[in-house]
Amino acid sequence: MNILMVSSECVPFVKTGGLADVVGTLPKYLKKNGHDVRIIIPKYSVIDGVKYNLKTLPYRLAVRLGKEEIYFRIKQGFLDENIPVYFIENMRFFDRSGVYGDDNGIGYGDNRERYIFFCKAVIESIKAMLFVPDIIHCNDWHTGLIPAYLKITNAYDGFFWKTSAIYTIHNIAFQGSFDAATSVPLAGFSWEDYKSDKLEFYNTFNFMKAGIVYTDIVSTVSPTYAKEIQAGFGNGMEVVLKTRKSDIYGILNGIDYSYWNPETDNNLAANYSKQNIENKILCRKDLIEICNFENGNNSFVLSCVSRFDNQKGFDLIIDAINRIQNTNIKFIILGSGDRYIRDTLLYLQNKYPETVKIFNKYDENLAHKIYAGSDAFLMPSHFEPCGLSQLIALAYGTIPIVNKTGGLADTIYDFDKSKTPNGFVFDLYSGESFVEKIKYAYKIFNDKTAWKNLQNNAIKCSFTWDKSVKEYEKIYNIALKRKINSTIYR
Ligand code: ADP
Ligand code: GLC
């Protein structure tokens, strides 16, 4: 199959969250299974063209944004040396210090223009390169217009005679909803297309709705989240999802175990493995030193590596820091984003210097040290489509403490409720339940045998892409078959 993966981010080139991990990993498994898979993302200036040896392709292309012609180039690099990655280059839209917004978490005012441009440029680029996809796999709101272009403006374009679209929702909280009066003409649609069963969404122009309505198959990143978004956690999109009920699939993300591997990870003070976890303690010692905590070597180290966003349950983390005053329990948090969360955490660090350490930044190397050096990982998310951080924590034998929602419910098995537990799960979203679970985990931590068993279960968990890639192949095939049938009858 010819597969084009379209996304706004992809590791190792650019990452703000788990979307990048998924888009940079799933294609490797598709490639292994014999598909011609390629990736296309914007060429943000944060992507280092020299480091990744990007070459400019000889195409001279333009798309129309309203009445304006926007010219662009395509750069090409490779993922794993054999998966072509195309970068849409236009400095007006992508030469910024951030990806979606500035350092204070404020989104860029022209994100609508940036991603209308990107969606249109993707269509023009593959036509110029003569890459005819069987599947265009779109991800999140930034790519939502592509299925709509395929079915509306390019419906009779012979180039796409065999192309189907898959639309994966990684987070329904971000939909790309904009003023309709200006967006419809800007994106090149007609008012005929702006009807309630088409592009219109509560009087707005909504990228995600376009993706859901016009794609062939909708997927999301865990079975539980697939149910949740249709039943009250869909941020208003429930009515739209209802119309696609039989076309919605929940496919759990995996992680890249060749990258997240304590045995070979060279960011760590010491390596350890499933067979011998002893050296994990040296990683904790290193982390305690990095945090400048005194006498912390035997303490219970709780960590969190995350975007600062209400989604991630920071109200509960803040509550827990305030309530748990035990010098033997440390909180180490690495993240960036929302300014209120950032300032409150920094305030707590000042208030409790012996137990709280906040790193306000994005830091891949430090993230590895934290996953390895801590005992438990806090993820009390309000909602969580899949979550990769809890899976990474497991890979490092670090025990997740999570709220029972979305992908967390699908991957973390509670200490008291499962025969092979790998974490602690609370099911009422409240400070009380969270603090209780932390205290309970601390009790188990002090029972060395019980904790060791838990660590062994955790580090042995395997959420690989091998299984999920087959599920993606299944939905690609469903989309393909439908396309072939509809082409025959046309
Ligand atoms: P989301 O995509 O909602 O942010 P996920 O759990 O799916 O959540 O993925 C988060 C990814 O981003 C993980 O790989 C995590 O390690 C990484 N990450 C988040 N914040 C930071 C940070 N400040 N520094 C380094 N890595 C981070
Ligand atoms: C989103 C979700 C997260 C998921 C990631 C990758 O950012 O918030 O839960 O793991 O996408 O699918």
Side-chain angles (χ1 to χ4, degrees), residues 213-412:
V213 168
Y214 289 102
T215 191
D216 295 282
I217 302 277
V218 182
S219 81
T220 185
V221 289
S222 71
T224 297
Y225 193 61
K227 286 187 208 134
E228 287 173 348
I229 56 175
Q230 297 180 71
F233 282 89
N235 292 59
M237 204 52 78
E238 291 86 347
V239 279
V240 182
L241 291 167
K242 206 168 171 191
T243 65
R244 301 301 315 260
K245 201 172 171 31
S246 55
D247 294 324
I248 302 176
Y249 295 79
I251 304 177
L252 203 61
N253 289 331
I255 58 165
D256 185 347
Y257 285 95
S258 64
Y259 181 68
W260 299 109
N261 181 355
E263 209 173 344
T264 52
D265 193 331
N266 51 27
N267 297 292
L268 309 187
N271 290 108
Y272 57 93
S273 66
K274 284 188 182 65
Q275 290 73 33
N276 186 354
I277 209 168
E278 289 309 314
N279 275 353
K280 183 170 167 61
I281 222 165
L282 299 177
C283 297
R284 182 168 65 186
K285 189 164 175 284
D286 180 47
L287 183 60
I288 292 287
E289 269 169 33
I290 293 170
C291 295
N292 285 324
F293 284 139
E294 280 172 22
N295 310 321
N297 283 339
N298 294 317
S299 50
F300 186 40
V301 176
L302 305 174
S303 68
C304 172
V305 177
S306 174
R307 288 183 289 119
F308 290 165
D309 188 294
N310 289 339
Q311 169 189 346
K312 302 292 178 181
F314 276 100
D315 47 344
L316 300 199
I317 293 182
I318 288 164
D319 205 23
I321 293 175
N322 261 320
R323 288 207 220 177
I324 299 177
Q325 281 315 309
N326 178 335
T327 49
N328 214 31
I329 300 183
K330 312 286 187 201
F331 291 88
I332 300 173
I333 298 172
L334 166 64
S336 57
D338 183 277
R339 287 174 293 178
Y340 172 77
I341 295 173
R342 176 196 66 192
D343 289 351
T344 310
L345 290 172
L346 290 173
Y347 166 80
L348 290 173
Q349 173 178 248
N350 265 342
K351 190 171 175 192
Y352 307 118
E354 275 181 71
T355 53
V356 178
K357 181 72 194 174
I358 309 299
F359 297 98
N360 177 217
K361 56 180 172 176
Y362 186 93
D363 187 333
E364 191 71 20
N365 299 345
L366 181 59
H368 286 246
K369 284 178 181 292
I370 292 179
Y371 282 119
S374 41
D375 298 298
F377 191 84
L378 305 179
M379 214 159 157
S381 306
H382 201 49
F383 66 92
E384 195 61 72
C386 177
L388 300 178
S389 299
Q390 83 279 16
L391 305 181
I392 299 169
L394 290 173
Y396 285 79
T398 299
I399 308 303
I401 303 178
V402 308
N403 180 29
K404 189 174 181 183
T405 181
L408 298 173
D410 293 335
T411 56
I412 304 305

